[in-house]
Amino acid sequence: MASRTEPSGCSGRGGGGAPGILPLPLLLLLAAAALVPRAYGDRRNMKFEVISSRGSPDLTDILMLQSGDGQNLVTEDVTVVEGEVATISCRVKNSDDSVIQLLNPNRQTIYFKDFRPLKDSRFQLVNFSNSELRVSLTNVSVSDEGRYFCQLYTDPPQEIYTTMTVLVPPRNLVIDIQKDIATEGEEIELNCTAMASRPATKIRWFKGNKELRGKSEVEQWSDMFTVTSQLLLTVGREDDGVPVICLVDHPAVKDLQTQRYLEVIYKPQVRVLQNYPLQGLTREGEPLELTCTAFGKPQPTEVKWLRVDDEMPQHVVVSGSNLLINNLNKTDNGTYRCEASNAVGKSSADYMLFVYDTTATTEPAVHDSRAGDEGSIRAVDHAVIGGVVAVVVFAMLCLLIILGRYFARHKGTYFTHEAKGADDAADADTAIINAEGGQNNSEEKKEYFI
């Protein structure tokens, strides 16, 4: 990061720095230079300015400003996570054995050359030479944030600053869910809170591997931020057991996340399976065995069979989820329904039975039974479809025959030129006189029919 040139000083003006750190001859020299007339103070590339909070010059209040080029100090800004170690480096590009000094944001001297006047033992010397002063700060806290000043006592004196930024990762990342158990089709609310972070945290939501969009609110307490993100989610049965993840995006931490598993209850899903005959027609005199399967959350508490629009035949045996007819006959034709229910609701599936003759050899009917919300989608017999197609074809053939006979009976009309021009005559005699050709063209108006 870029550094700036700032006023340099020997001690803090409000930070309580101890005077007398610089050698006494140098301090006397600076004090004398501050009292020199302006003509001498405006010498090339340097001027001296006396600043005193007490209204009169003091050795500890003398600051030096560089007004020309030739800055020889180099440093970089520091970003550190709270509780970790920060390293501050003051480097000299072209060393001439000048004194290097490091000051804290209160302008208290941390290190003068390799000597540490400040009593804060968290500051430790890492390296000192004519070209570098490097200092480490352990267990960094938010109060350590600010500008740190590097000073080089050359002619003219030089000073630059580096900015320390302290990051604070979020604490107590928590997901709060509106309802621990949700019903299929219900909209639920989830809130994820990241407390006491710096800077403010960005929160992202995931359901399984799919990213979702939430709505965030930021609250600031002193120099800390608390972020709460709200997610509205409509759940289905496929969401049961799926994790909802709250992921934190913050420069101070990586892969910080928490998750909650969804628990969704839903009504049963019902299917009817034909155990016997496995393949082939349901013929008269043969047995039929059906099984009803039902799965839901919670598990169905009741499964029952019934016959739609009719009573169940007396010879039908129902045992739990199984239905058995030992000897099929034509009176067994109809729709058989399996119903299952739990605390959420009720569902059903239908089986359409058609009993064929014992000699039937056509393609077997397909009995496809599927669950529905309040009813079921009935299976369709291929024989019924074939019959409908045959009726449609027969009707089309009859229509073609009727149309053919109609067009054969009705021939096209035609017009002759007989008495052409007589349409405008006032009476019959005039019409005969006005006819084209009169009596002379009578031969042309003859028509011959073969």
Side-chain angles (χ1 to χ4, degrees):
M1 307 269 312
S3 302
R4 294 179 51 190
T5 302
E6 285 286 322
S8 60
C10 315
S11 61
R13 287 182 296 175
I21 293 177
L22 295 180
L24 183 57
L26 181 58
L27 292 176
L28 294 175
L29 177 62
L30 294 176
L35 301 178
V36 174
R38 178 175 297 272
Y40 292 94
D42 289 338
R43 56 184 295 190
R44 186 179 181 183
N45 292 334
M46 177 181 288
K47 74 175 182 178
F48 294 91
E49 180 180 358
V50 178
I51 301 175
S52 174
S53 60
R54 293 178 293 276
S56 60
D58 188 88
L59 294 181
T60 61
D61 290 326
I62 298 174
L63 302 179
M64 294 171 290
L65 292 174
Q66 177 187 0
S67 62
D69 297 330
Q71 179 68 273
N72 204 24
L73 277 173
V74 179
T75 188
E76 295 88 19
D77 289 342
V78 178
T79 300
V80 61
V81 177
E82 184 183 36
E84 297 186 358
V85 180
T87 301
I88 305 171
S89 176
C90 302
R91 299 190 304 278
V92 181
K93 289 189 293 186
N94 300 308
S95 176
D96 59 356
D97 297 334
S98 298
V99 175
I100 306 174
Q101 183 177 217
L102 176 64
L103 287 78
N104 66 9
N106 295 324
R107 302 196 71 89
Q108 296 171 325
T109 302
I110 301 174
Y111 267 91
F112 181 80
K113 301 178 64 174
D114 58 350
F115 173 69
R116 176 169 59 84
L118 198 65
K119 294 181 179 181
D120 191 344
S121 60
R122 296 181 304 149
F123 290 96
Q124 294 295 324
L125 185 64
V126 177
N127 180 51
F128 172 72
S129 66
N130 292 333
S131 59
E132 183 185 35
L133 173 61
R134 191 189 311 165
V135 177
S136 67
L137 173 61
T138 59
N139 194 22
V140 176
S141 66
V142 175
S143 61
D144 295 321
E145 190 173 85
R147 292 179 177 179
Y148 289 76
F149 301 89
C150 297
Q151 293 181 345
L152 181 64
Y153 290 100
T154 59
D155 184 12
Q158 300 176 30
E159 178 181 280
I160 60 173
Y161 67 81
T162 176
T163 301
M164 180 184 294
T165 302
V166 180
L167 306 178
V168 180
R171 301 179 177 87
N172 301 327
L173 186 63
V174 177
I175 292 181
D176 179 33
I177 190 168
Q178 183 183 23
K179 297 180 68 175
D180 292 333
I181 300 177
T183 305
E184 181 182 19
E186 184 179 11
E187 184 181 68
I188 61 173
E189 177 183 330
L190 298 94
N191 290 282
C192 182
T193 303
M195 301 180 63
S197 66
R198 183 179 181 181
T201 298
K202 180 181 178 182
I203 293 179
R204 300 167 64 190
W205 288 97
F206 291 87
K207 185 180 75 172
N209 295 324
K210 181 181 179 181
E211 185 168 2
L212 306 176
R213 176 174 294 183
K215 181 180 179 181
S216 296
E217 293 184 358
V218 180
E219 296 182 8
Q220 184 174 359
W221 300 90
S222 182
D223 54 357
M224 295 295 182
F225 298 88
T226 295
V227 181
T228 301
S229 180
Q230 180 190 70
L231 176 67
L232 297 177
L233 182 63
T234 301
V235 296
R237 64 180 61 198
E238 68 277 2
D239 296 323
D240 184 46
V242 175
V244 174
I245 302 169
C246 172
L247 178 67
V248 165
D249 188 359
H250 193 273
V253 66
K254 292 183 179 180
D255 301 327
L256 177 61
Q257 65 182 39
T258 185
Q259 64 184 22
R260 288 284 298 269
Y261 287 91
L262 296 174
E263 186 171 356
V264 182
I265 58 176
Y266 47 90
K267 58 186 177 182
Q269 184 177 5
V270 184
R271 289 183 64 87
V272 175
L273 303 177
Q274 179 178 313
N275 296 332
Y276 187 86
L278 295 177
Q279 293 181 350
L281 298 175
T282 49
R283 296 186 180 89
E284 192 173 9
E286 294 184 353
L288 172 68
E289 182 179 353
L290 304 176
T291 298
C292 177
T293 62
F295 176 78
K297 187 174 182 179
Q299 275 296 106
T301 55
E302 182 182 7
V303 177
K304 64 178 182 180
W305 284 94
L306 55 91
R307 188 177 182 183
V308 179
D309 299 330
D310 204 347
E311 294 184 357
M312 186 74 76
Q314 294 183 354
H315 59 280
V316 174
V317 179
V318 176
S319 176
S321 60
N322 295 324
L323 183 145
L324 176 63
I325 302 178
N326 288 314
N327 189 6
L328 290 173
N329 58 66
K330 297 286 187 178
T331 61
D332 297 328
N333 288 342
T335 301
Y336 294 81
R337 175 173 295 170
C338 174
E339 290 184 349
S341 61
N342 61 9
V344 181
K346 179 173 67 175
S347 300
S348 63
D350 289 351
Y351 177 88
M352 182 179 289
L353 173 63
F354 184 83
V355 180
Y356 293 87
D357 294 332
T358 56
T359 58
T361 58
T362 58
E363 182 181 355
V366 177
H367 303 280
D368 183 14
S369 301
R370 288 171 286 182
D373 291 339
E374 295 181 356
S376 64
I377 303 174
R378 298 187 177 184
V380 180
D381 196 332
H382 287 182
V384 176
I385 297 176
V388 172
V389 173
V391 171
V392 173
V393 172
F394 178 75
M396 293 179 64
L397 290 175
C398 292
L399 181 61
L400 290 175
I401 293 173
I402 293 172
L403 291 175
R405 291 176 61 83
Y406 174 80
F407 286 117
R409 284 186 170 188
H410 295 76
K411 297 181 179 180
T413 58
Y414 61 91
F415 299 94
T416 69
H417 295 283
E418 184 177 0
K420 185 176 181 181
D423 293 339
D424 298 330
D427 50 36
D429 295 334
T430 306
I432 295 174
I433 295 173
N434 293 339
E436 285 187 5
Q439 298 294 331
N440 298 329
N441 296 330
S442 59
E443 293 298 330
E444 296 179 3
K445 292 183 284 185
K446 291 180 180 181
E447 294 180 353
Y448 299 91
F449 298 93
I450 300 176

